[in-house]
Amino acid sequence: MAKEITSRAENYSQWYNDIVKKAGLADNSAVRGCMVIKPYGYAIWEKIRDQLDKMFKETGHVNAYFPLFIPKSFLSKEAQHVEGFAKECAVVTHHRLMNDPNGKGVIVDPEAKLEEELIVRPTSETIIWSTYKDWIQSYRDLPLLINQWANVVRWEMRTRPFLRTAEFLWQEGHTAHATENEARQEARMIHDLYAQFTEEFMAMPVIQGAKSENERFAGAVDTYTIEALMQDGKALQAGTSHFLGQNFAKAFEVTFMNEKNESEFVWATSWGVTTRLVGALIMTHSDDDGLVLPPKLAPIQVVIVPIPRPDPELVAKAEEIANGLKAKGVSVKIDLDDSKRPGFKFAEYEMKGVPVRLGLGARDMANNQIEVARRDTKEKDNVSLDGIVEYVTELLDDIQNNLLKRAYDFRQANTTRVDNFDDFKRILDTKGGFVLAHWDRTTETELKIKEETKATLRCIPIDAPEEAGICVYSGKPSSRRVLFAKAY
RNA sequence: CGGGACAUAGCGCAGCCCGGUUAGCGCACUUGGUUUGGGACCAAGGGGUCGUAGGUUCGAAUCCUACUGUCCCGACCA
């Protein structure tokens, strides 16, 4: 047994770390709080990125790139915004090093102090809105629909690979609109796009909702979120879309002339998802044998293992099958490594979450069949080589659907409606998961609940039906249930 | 930033309490051979400033002090 991972039951955090490491997704780095994303982990991110990028472009957005550094003065222009990020910013104060006159090594050259310090972007609203001011003159310049793929830095106390790192990769969309309504629609449209993406591609169902005032993005009027439920019963915020009102337009004086030749402030949105999605993917589907990937995001969808070794006849047949699959758009790897035995390879590909494994040996060739193993259920079947391409492409769809259904069923089974605070606490302590409860819509109650239960108000679901009830904490009237959970 | 644990080869660990030749084991790696349908076996080999800096001592992986880092549990957060 070369590689083993801690079971989820034994230690969920350790299980997660083991998967990240042993599936080859990421390593710790020499820099505290920062990870190295390894090729296999990055390949998953690329799949996520490419699909989202396509969806953004289909909805009229274009990509651009803004600077990593933000003048300190920019960050202080929007009061709530700076308050939200001030505690976790990396600051550049100097621009030069020099040899240490007292010994070996280098020191910061005290002569090279910057006149104005630069902040490493924790998010780009300020630099972008200072730029948009110059780009927008007329209603004819609107809407401005721009996205950027970038890295950002938030100096977090405690980090975990993919879920929270000091530096992470993301996309941030920043749009400007002539009317409030159009901006609100944009924020909601992206919110829907995110939900569609996570469900269709990540096979991860999400609850769509609005954040409470307390949980809202610093500087936003409304924040929409997609909340996913992880296997340990904790919620994970997987993406947010913000309606920013005219807050940034006012802070950066971004105005335009409307059709009546009147000057107006523009209406704004911003929205983003991060490499955290890779963490979400891990914690939604994986099991005690390793990573489980949905076919639509798997860097390798099918691996063919010649058994017992890659002999020429087997490889020739494997290539024939692989070419058939590739013609259908399936990514296939033929394992040509002859230094490892099949059993080792099986375990390895299971650890890496490859959705389908085909085992091809002389015995199979003689019987005109092949061994098909699916990662999600670990079932194995001997399947005729005739029509194998169709069989596998259908199986990939089936796995994708099965993962979504499994995650959805898990969420259903771990979503509990409660009507009093005793039940609320009991469910969170025993079962965990999502809790749907009535809430009186005050921040005071929200904070009390958080203090007493560690559960946070994840969102006010957009599809929650109107339902008369009383707040589980205060007993005051409420018209709909909201979503609480312990969260990452 | 609080509470706890840990730091010895790429990874996982033993040795430390009770200081004493050349610091050991498993996995991984290299070479050769035998194997090969679920993590092969045999043999030979390479790889270490024992986290860093001080201190005690004739002598420190081992004892003392400080620092740094990592992990787990909290608080903060995508």
Side-chain angles (χ1 to χ4, degrees), chain A residues 25-240:
Chain A
L25 303 179
D27 271 343
N28 290 327
S29 74
V31 185
R32 178 192 169 83
C34 296
M35 63 176 169
V36 175
I37 305 177
K38 297 178 78 175
Y40 193 62
Y42 199 76
I44 296 171
W45 173 242
E46 285 179 311
K47 287 265 186 181
I48 291 171
R49 188 194 62 191
D50 291 351
Q51 178 56 37
L52 283 169
D53 198 63
K54 188 175 160 221
M55 293 167 86
F56 296 151
K57 285 173 179 160
E58 282 169 358
T59 47
H61 302 85
V62 291
N63 286 331
Y65 187 80
F66 292 84
L68 170 67
F69 301 118
I70 298 174
K72 194 173 74 176
S73 57
F74 281 23
L75 217 62
S76 50
K77 289 198 178 178
E78 215 289 334
Q80 289 180 330
H81 186 64
V82 70
E83 211 174 295
F85 289 103
K87 288 167 290 185
E88 49 190 31
C89 285
V91 184
V92 180
T93 56
H94 293 72
H95 65 82
R96 193 163 61 213
L97 298 174
M98 62 184 285
N99 288 318
D100 183 353
N102 297 323
K104 54 194 173 181
V106 290
I107 60 168
V108 174
D109 185 345
E111 301 292 309
K113 193 164 168 34
L114 292 177
E115 209 162 291
E116 179 172 5
E117 290 164 344
L118 297 171
I119 312 301
V120 180
R121 63 180 165 220
T123 178
S124 301
E125 271 78 5
T126 57
I127 188 84
I128 284 178
W129 284 95
S130 76
T131 308
Y132 281 5
K133 173 183 167 61
D134 295 336
W135 290 359
I136 298 168
Q137 315 291 335
S138 153
Y139 70 93
R140 296 179 205 275
D141 297 324
L142 299 172
L144 189 56
L145 306 174
I146 291 180
N147 176 63
Q148 91 165 341
W149 291 95
N151 58 338
V152 287
V153 168
R154 295 179 191 174
W155 213 260
E156 299 291 348
M157 300 274 187
R158 188 179 164 196
T159 59
R160 303 188 64 191
F162 294 108
L163 296 175
R164 179 167 302 107
T165 46
E167 179 191 13
F168 55 92
L169 307 182
W170 77 345
Q171 57 72 211
E172 47 180 324
H174 296 274
T175 69
H177 305 265
T179 65
E180 172 176 3
N181 188 42
E182 190 183 300
R184 285 188 178 278
Q185 276 179 18
E186 165 79 5
R188 287 196 208 103
M189 187 270 285
I190 294 294
H191 187 216
D192 289 344
L193 184 154
Y194 284 157
Q196 187 200 336
F197 170 78
T198 58
E199 299 200 2
E200 186 178 336
F201 290 86
M202 296 178 67
M204 180 176 80
V206 291
I207 301 285
Q208 288 183 255
K211 284 292 188 187
S212 63
E213 188 183 347
N214 178 247
E215 295 275 339
R216 209 171 279 161
F217 173 73
V221 175
D222 284 311
T223 288
Y224 302 105
T225 180
I226 52 173
E227 297 284 327
L229 184 62
M230 303 293 103
Q231 292 182 50
D232 62 347
K234 286 166 82 174
L236 185 83
Q237 180 175 308
T240 49

Side-chain angles (χ1 to χ4, degrees), chain A residues 8 37 93 98 209 214 221 223 324 339 360 381 387 421 430 436 449 473 475-476:
Chain A
R8 285 166 291 185
I37 305 177
T93 56
M98 62 184 285
N214 178 247
V221 175
T223 288
S339 72
L360 182 67
D381 276 312
F421 200 53
T430 54
L436 285 167
I449 289 175
Y473 192 84
K476 289 178 190 161

Side-chain angles (χ1 to χ4, degrees), chain A residues 304 312 314-324 326 334 336 360:
Chain A
I304 305 178
L314 293 177
V315 172
K317 189 67 191 177
E319 277 171 354
E320 184 189 322
I321 298 165
N323 288 337
K326 284 175 188 167
I334 302 171
L336 297 173
L360 182 67

